[in-house]
Amino acid sequence: MTQSASGTEHPHPDVDPHLGQILVTHEAIQQRIAELGKEITVDYAGRAPLLIAVLKGAIMFMADIARAISLPVELDFMAVSSYGTATKTSGVVRIVKDLDIDLTGRDVIIVEDIVDSGLTLNYLRKNLAARHPASLEVCALLLKEGMQKVEPDLRYVGFRLPDEFVVGYGLDVAERYRNLDDLRVYVGPGSGH
Ligand code: IMP
Ligand code: MG
C-alpha cells in the first residue's frame, strides 16, 4: 500500500516521485564507515574519544561510526535549530539540547551528517572549542563540494558530493526520508529540480 508524501504511510522509495537517483548505496556507506573507523582507531590509539553528534541528521552515522571504532568511545548528543528554509540553512543556530558530558580535557570528535555551507559546523566548532577540549576534530560523512566560503577544516570525510539536496540515512526533508538505507537525490518541492 503506497500513499502520497502527505499521507500517513511512508511511500516506497522506488515509487516516490520526489526521490531521484541513488547517490551512495547503503553498502558503499558501510564500507566507507569501516575505513573511517579504522583510521580513527589508529589515530586515537590509547585515548578514549568523545563522539558528539548533532541531532537528528547524524544519528545513523553516529550509530555506525561508533561501532566501527575499536576504542572506549563515549557518545553525546546536541540538538540545534537553525533558521532557514526546508533546504537551506541561514547560519543562525540556537542550541535546543546541550551536551551532558563536560568537554574539559577530552578528545572530541564532532560527528556530522553533511557539510553544505559549513555555517552550522562553523558555529559548533567555535561553541565547543570554548569548552576547553584537549583536541577537537570533525568527522563528516558528506561534504558538498565547492559550497563553502572558507575551506572547512575536516579531519575525516566520507564522501564528496555535487550540489544536490540529498535524503536518506538520517537526512531529511521536513522530517521525512531519514529511514531510507541509501542516500538519494531529492527532486521534490523546494529542491530546485
Ligand atoms: P550547513 O550549515 O549549510 O553546512 O548545513 C548543514 C546542515 O543542514 C546539515 O547538518 C543538515 O542537517 C542540513 N543539510 C544540508 N544539506 C542537506 C542535504 O542535502 N540534505 C539534508 N539535509 C541537509
Ligand atoms: Mg535537516
Side-chain angles (χ1 to χ4, degrees):
M1 198 23 222
T2 300
Q3 294 181 358
S4 70
S6 57
T8 50
E9 200 160 327
H10 202 89
H12 191 278
D14 293 342
V15 298
D16 185 333
H18 296 165
L19 290 176
Q21 62 161 314
I22 294 176
L23 269 191
V24 189
T25 64
H26 188 67
E27 291 69 31
I29 293 172
Q30 294 305 320
Q31 196 186 331
R32 185 71 185 115
I33 289 175
E35 290 170 5
L36 290 173
K38 283 194 186 115
E39 259 187 73
I40 293 172
T41 301
V42 170
D43 294 350
Y44 288 81
R47 292 185 280 170
L50 171 59
L51 308 182
I52 294 177
V54 181
L55 298 171
K56 305 170 197 168
I59 53 165
M60 308 295 180
F61 184 38
M62 179 69 143
D64 288 335
I65 192 79
R67 288 177 291 179
I69 300 170
S70 304
L71 292 171
V73 296
E74 290 173 30
L75 315 184
D76 206 352
F77 296 88
M78 247 174 126
V80 301
S81 83
S82 61
Y83 301 95
T85 63
T87 60
K88 281 279 170 240
T89 9
S90 66
V92 181
V93 178
R94 186 169 59 94
I95 295 178
V96 176
K97 182 222 169 284
D98 209 340
L99 300 168
D100 297 326
I101 301 174
D102 181 7
L103 301 194
T104 313
R106 299 302 306 265
D107 291 301
V108 172
I109 304 175
I110 301 175
V111 173
E112 256 286 41
D113 51 355
I114 185 164
V115 178
D116 182 5
S117 69
L119 292 170
T120 305
L121 186 63
N122 192 38
Y123 168 85
L124 275 178
R125 200 187 249 288
K126 279 195 195 131
N127 186 287
L128 299 186
R131 305 183 194 195
H132 309 292
S135 65
L136 180 60
E137 300 289 351
V138 178
C139 177
L141 180 64
L142 307 164
L143 172 65
K144 282 197 201 170
E145 248 173 347
M147 296 308 292
Q148 303 81 37
K149 290 195 190 88
V150 279
E151 189 56 35
D153 180 9
L154 308 174
R155 175 95 176 255
Y156 309 97
V157 175
F159 299 92
R160 290 163 194 276
L161 301 182
D163 180 28
E164 297 270 20
F165 199 81
V166 293
V167 293
Y169 194 68
L171 296 167
D172 73 308
V173 173
E175 300 300 330
R176 294 294 178 94
Y177 305 119
R178 294 193 196 277
N179 62 333
L180 302 183
D181 274 339
D182 304 310
L183 197 79
R184 304 180 73 123
V185 178
Y186 174 74
V187 294
S191 67
H193 280 266

